[in-house]
């Protein structure tokens, strides 16, 4: 199917170390995998993009780290950063059965016609009891122009994601919408406190465009930006 273009991955490479969405994403992944990466073990990132997670997996203790992606543009950036990467579709991975102690696949299966086939591949390449972390864009009502540019087939309601995961033979250990803003946490506000109505949906979509462009100046005219951006429309699954 269609893939994000070179400009999309160039922007990702430019902002992934500083943008709040990516920084929070890496912090969440590190917390999920704390104590789950065997020292010197093998970790695989399926859909590695420009390679940021490869470095994180090594920092968490993996001795062997490999990534796959379909995009030659993304892989070129990852290789330039020293990542060990291969071009591959997620539904047919170039790894031996039972070879990985940890597998992550972040924002990948929403691109695929057959998400269950890709999830089954994650299982195949994992050792029994391996930590597998999958993230996807959540809430179909948030589908926007950004999803189109990112070549997303879908956003997932939680029941649909659970059905796909369970069809692949995985047992769900944890499933949650991810967020990390301390101020709102202290106020006891959760993502699910947001009311789903036309005004809110329109404002969130506008903010999503602002975030994607990645410039603070574009935030002018959106007074809700500071209040809403801490809430991340991503479901996180930690599975074994």
């Amino acid at each position: 199917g269609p893939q994000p273009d070179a400009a999309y991955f160039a922007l990702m490479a430019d902002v992934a170390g500083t943008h709040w969405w990516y920084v929070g994403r890496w912090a969440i992944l590190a917390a999920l995998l704390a104590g789950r990466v065997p020292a010197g073990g093998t970790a695989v990132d399926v859909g590695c993009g420009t390679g940021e997670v490869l470095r994180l997996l090594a920092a968490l203790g993996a001795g062997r780290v490999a990534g796959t992606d379909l995009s030659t543009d993304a892989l070129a950036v990852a290789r330039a950063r020293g990542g060990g990467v291969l071009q591959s579709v997620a539904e047919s991975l170039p790894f031996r059965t039972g070879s990985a102690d940890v597998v992550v696949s972040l924002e990948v299966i929403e691109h695929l016609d057959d998400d269950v086939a890709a999830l089954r591949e994650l299982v195949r390449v994992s050792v029994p009891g391996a930590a597998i972390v999958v993230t996807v864009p959540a809430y179909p009502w948030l589908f926007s122009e950004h999803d189109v540019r990112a070549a997303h087939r879908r956003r997932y309601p939680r029941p649909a994601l659970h059905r796909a995961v369970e069809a692949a033979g995985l047992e769900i250990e944890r499933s949650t919408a991810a967020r990390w803003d301390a101020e709102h946490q202290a106020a006891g506000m959760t993502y699910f406190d947001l009311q789903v109505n036309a005004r809110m949906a329109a404002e969130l979509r506008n903010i999503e465009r602002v975030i994607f462009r990645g410039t603070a100046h574009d935030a002018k005219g959106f007074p809700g930006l500071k209040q809403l951006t801490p809430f991340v429309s991503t479901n996180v699954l930690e599975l074994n």
Side-chain angles (χ1 to χ4, degrees), residues 202-219:
E203 189 167 10
L204 281 167
R205 285 192 173 125
N206 282 331
I207 288 168
E208 191 171 22
R209 295 189 191 104
V210 169
I211 292 169
F212 182 74
R213 288 197 296 269
T215 61
H217 296 295
D218 289 336

Side-chain angles (χ1 to χ4, degrees), residues 13 46 100 154 182 238:
V46 176
R154 66 192 76 83
E238 183 182 359

Side-chain angles (χ1 to χ4, degrees), residues 7-29 45 47-56 74 77-78 81 106 180 211-214:
Y8 181 94
F9 287 111
L11 176 61
M12 180 188 295
D14 185 49
V15 304
T18 57
H19 193 283
W20 67 266
W21 191 87
Y22 287 103
V23 171
R25 189 188 194 192
W26 312 147
I28 290 168
L29 181 61
D45 181 8
C48 65
T50 51
E52 290 78 16
V53 172
L54 301 177
R55 290 180 289 180
L56 174 59
V77 176
R81 292 174 166 173
L106 311 182
W180 54 82
I211 292 169
F212 182 74
R213 288 197 296 269

Side-chain angles (χ1 to χ4, degrees), residues 218-230:
D218 289 336
K220 292 179 180 178
F222 298 103
L225 184 66
K226 290 183 180 178
Q227 286 72 39
L228 291 172
T229 52

Side-chain angles (χ1 to χ4, degrees), residues 155-172:
R155 281 178 172 264
Y156 285 82
R158 191 174 299 189
L161 181 59
H162 286 192
R163 285 194 295 271
V165 166
E166 290 167 350
L170 288 161
E171 179 182 348
I172 298 171

